Amino acid sequence: MKTSSRKSTATKVSKKTAPPKKKAPPVRTLNLDKAIKDYEDALKVFTRKEYAKAAHLFEAVIRDYPIEREVGDRSRIYLSLCRQNTATAAPKPKTAEDFYLLGVMASNEGRLDEAADFFDKMVKTDPSSDKGHYSLAAVSSLRNDRAAAVSGLARAIELNGRNKVQALNDSDFDPLREDAEFMALLGRAPEGGA
């Protein structure tokens, strides 16, 4: 029995001392040079901070050269960076309508100060926009800014008389229902007898 245990120990020792197998050199495919060139082209676009265009080029490298693992892996890393950079870079609003949409989104998400800023920019971009004045008045009411709400609504009604009816039924103006000046704009007496 002792001899058999020595054999197994000797076998174990020889397995431990055996040199590791060498890895086979990477296979160089016919498309490797083309894949590297396309990757480098995408990288140049990335360094110019044209992230959307670079993302498209990195996607093409991944799609067109699926066998080229190293080039594909690097492309995936840069593709991820492109997506991060394009996701954080929100488009800059230019038109009154852009400011309006951003203001509505901010208001719906409860970011009232930001919404007020967007509606204010909308009014400055297009002073004749009754919906800009109305929206700014509504957000001002929600922010408990009575003076801005009253003056904004007065201007919105001046530009479009239908805003009077809309304000009567708009819950954004509920904080002002007992305000005499606000209710006078709507042609009504203050609620609650004030």
Side-chain angles (χ1 to χ4, degrees):
M1 283 193 157
K2 289 183 180 180
T3 56
S4 65
S5 66
R6 286 183 189 169
K7 270 187 176 179
S8 64
T9 307
T11 308
K12 287 180 184 176
V13 171
S14 67
K15 285 184 180 176
K16 288 181 182 176
T17 59
K21 293 182 180 179
K22 292 184 179 179
K23 290 184 179 178
V27 177
R28 189 165 184 92
T29 65
L30 296 174
N31 288 327
L32 181 60
D33 292 333
K34 178 77 170 116
I36 291 171
K37 184 191 178 314
D38 289 356
Y39 167 79
E40 289 172 346
D41 290 345
L43 196 55
K44 287 176 188 173
V45 174
F46 178 85
T47 58
R48 291 193 309 255
K49 298 182 180 182
E50 297 176 31
Y51 300 118
K53 186 176 178 183
H56 177 71
L57 295 173
F58 285 121
E59 287 171 346
V61 170
I62 294 165
R63 180 188 63 241
D64 295 344
Y65 308 104
I67 295 174
E68 308 303 339
R69 292 187 64 192
E70 188 173 333
V71 175
D73 289 345
R74 290 181 185 191
S75 293
R76 282 182 193 82
I77 291 168
Y78 279 102
L79 177 59
S80 175
L81 292 171
C82 289
R83 288 179 177 157
Q84 288 173 9
N85 283 305
T86 55
T88 57
K92 295 188 181 203
K94 296 177 183 171
T95 66
E97 192 64 24
D98 292 343
F99 288 118
Y100 176 73
L101 293 174
L102 291 170
V104 169
M105 288 190 304
S107 178
N108 289 342
E109 293 171 3
R111 297 178 284 123
L112 299 179
D113 292 339
E114 193 176 336
D117 288 341
F118 284 126
F119 292 136
D120 186 52
K121 289 176 183 172
M122 178 190 184
V123 167
K124 288 177 181 171
T125 304
D126 182 6
S128 65
S129 170
D130 68 289
K131 78 177 178 180
H133 289 283
Y134 184 93
S135 299
L136 183 56
V139 168
S140 296
S141 172
L142 293 172
R143 294 171 64 210
N144 294 316
D145 185 350
R146 180 203 156 293
V150 170
S151 67
L153 184 60
R155 180 69 178 132
I157 292 170
E158 182 183 311
L159 291 167
N160 182 348
R162 288 181 282 178
N163 286 317
K164 184 185 288 190
V165 175
Q166 185 172 342
L168 278 169
N169 300 304
D170 191 337
S171 62
D172 290 348
F173 292 109
D174 285 351
L176 298 174
R177 299 286 178 210
E178 295 180 13
D179 184 273
E181 186 180 2
F182 172 79
M183 292 306 286
L185 279 173
L186 304 179
R188 302 284 172 102
E191 295 178 2

